[in-house]
Amino acid sequence: MAPPTARLLLRTPRLSLSTAAASLFSPPSKAVLYDQHGPPDQVLRVADVPPVELGERDVCVKMLAAPINPSDINRVQGVYPVRPPVPPAAVAGYEGVAQVHALGPAVTRPLSPGDWVIPSPPSFGTWQTYIVKPEHVWHKVRDDVPVEYAATVTVNPLTALRMLQDFVKLSPGDAVVQNGATSIVGQCVIQLAKVQGIRTINIIRDRPGSEEAKEKLKQLGADEVFTEGQLDVKNVKSLLGALPEPALGFNCVGGNAAALILKLLRQGGTMVTYGGMSKRPVTVSTSSFIFKDLSLRGFWLQKWMSSDKADDCRRLIDYLLGLVQEGKLKYEMELSPFDDFGLALDKALGKHGSQPKQVLRF
């Protein structure tokens, strides 16, 4: 029987490794680390990380791309409900796509060097150049889509898809309403609803460039787009024209933007809250409960993924990447070299005004 190192080399014929022994370790890596919670631009640092030994059933991957999500920022700040422990130093990042670099000798999953994989469910520590984790963490995905879509498919598109499916049984011709429509989740809601024949009513902020934002959303398939100011009228439903009153609403803003959704919902409608960008509470009038019988629900993707949903999660990710490949799902992002992490972080923090989602390219 061949020794472990020989078996590893037989399974990884395309690797360029200088010695057999080196194949049992990841290459040296660079990672974004933090030793304590706090403002990301103060506590995050890029540092060298030594090689990591591969266990029998471990897979070493080379990261290709990883986004900077708002939830990543919240984890570093220490305000997100789930976060990696610090100290010791934690590696930031939660989502991304990688390429298989090397396999432990007892790996049984059908993976080969060069395959694209994502951590599914997502896993802490994606902002580094090489990662070693057990084989069950990795889900092989198609490699015929832009790398930034494979890197971002889990958190935002999957949130949009689950919310459309989990709360109200919708049929073609029904309508949904959402605020935060220019967000990536909002853009995904528009396009995924269109695939299902569902109409969308979209609310955006009053700000310079709102007309341009409306046009972009309509090009994605939005049926109606209103600014918050346009909906500040007594008979708000008269603005819907021939559109049906929505049965389902999505709130990621809170405050007045949430109240506008409640005004538009039909009798017995449901509003799902999945974010609170305004940091203002959701306030509901007594009449909304008594006379409209509205329901208020919440959605947190991480809880859904941690409730024995791994197979469903991976199946839906494959479906979403299929829509990307078909040109039916797209959203605006900016690839930034990992070497320019500081600039990408500043853009993600809003220091350069409104910017597309930042995706680190390794």
Side-chain angles (χ1 to χ4, degrees), residues 300-318:
W300 184 28
L301 182 68
Q302 187 159 331
K303 181 180 179 181
W304 180 84
M305 290 191 297
S306 63
S307 58
D308 197 26
K309 297 289 187 180
D311 289 341
D312 287 345
C313 180
R314 294 177 176 192
R315 175 177 56 82
L316 294 174
I317 283 169
D318 292 342

Side-chain angles (χ1 to χ4, degrees), residues 95 124 155 163 185 205 225 253 280 284 298 313 319 322 338 340 352-353:
E95 186 183 19
F124 297 126
V155 172
M163 292 195 302
V185 172
R205 290 180 295 169
V225 186
V253 180
R280 295 177 182 174
V284 188
C313 180
Y319 166 73
F338 184 52
D340 292 338
H352 295 265

Side-chain angles (χ1 to χ4, degrees), residues 125-147:
T126 57
W127 295 358
Q128 59 183 318
T129 50
Y130 289 90
I131 301 176
V132 174
K133 287 186 181 290
E135 61 175 319
H136 68 81
V137 169
W138 303 108
H139 173 53
K140 181 179 175 179
V141 296
R142 62 194 308 156
D143 60 5
D144 59 351
V145 297
V147 69

Side-chain angles (χ1 to χ4, degrees), residues 320-350:
L320 290 165
L321 288 177
L323 292 180
V324 170
Q325 199 276 335
E326 294 170 15
K328 296 178 180 178
L329 183 64
K330 58 185 177 181
Y331 39 89
E332 190 176 4
M333 295 172 282
E334 181 181 4
L335 281 168
S336 295
F338 184 52
D339 289 343
D340 292 338
F341 171 75
L343 176 59
L345 178 64
D346 284 348
K347 288 181 177 180
L349 293 173

Side-chain angles (χ1 to χ4, degrees), residues 21 54 65 67 110 117 129 168 177 189 192 213 218 235 239 310 318 334 362:
L54 276 71
V117 292
T129 50
V168 174
V177 58
V189 164
L192 295 174
K218 288 189 175 181
N235 186 14
L239 299 174
D318 292 342
E334 181 181 4
F362 293 87

Side-chain angles (χ1 to χ4, degrees), residues 163-177 189 192-200 223 243-248 250 266:
M163 292 195 302
L164 282 166
Q165 295 182 351
D166 287 359
F167 295 95
V168 174
K169 183 174 177 55
L170 298 169
S171 300
D174 287 343
V176 298
V177 58
V189 164
L192 295 174
K194 183 179 180 181
V195 168
Q196 300 175 38
I198 297 164
R199 317 289 292 277
T200 58
D223 292 281
L243 288 176
E245 292 180 352
L248 180 61
F250 303 131
R266 75 184 187 195

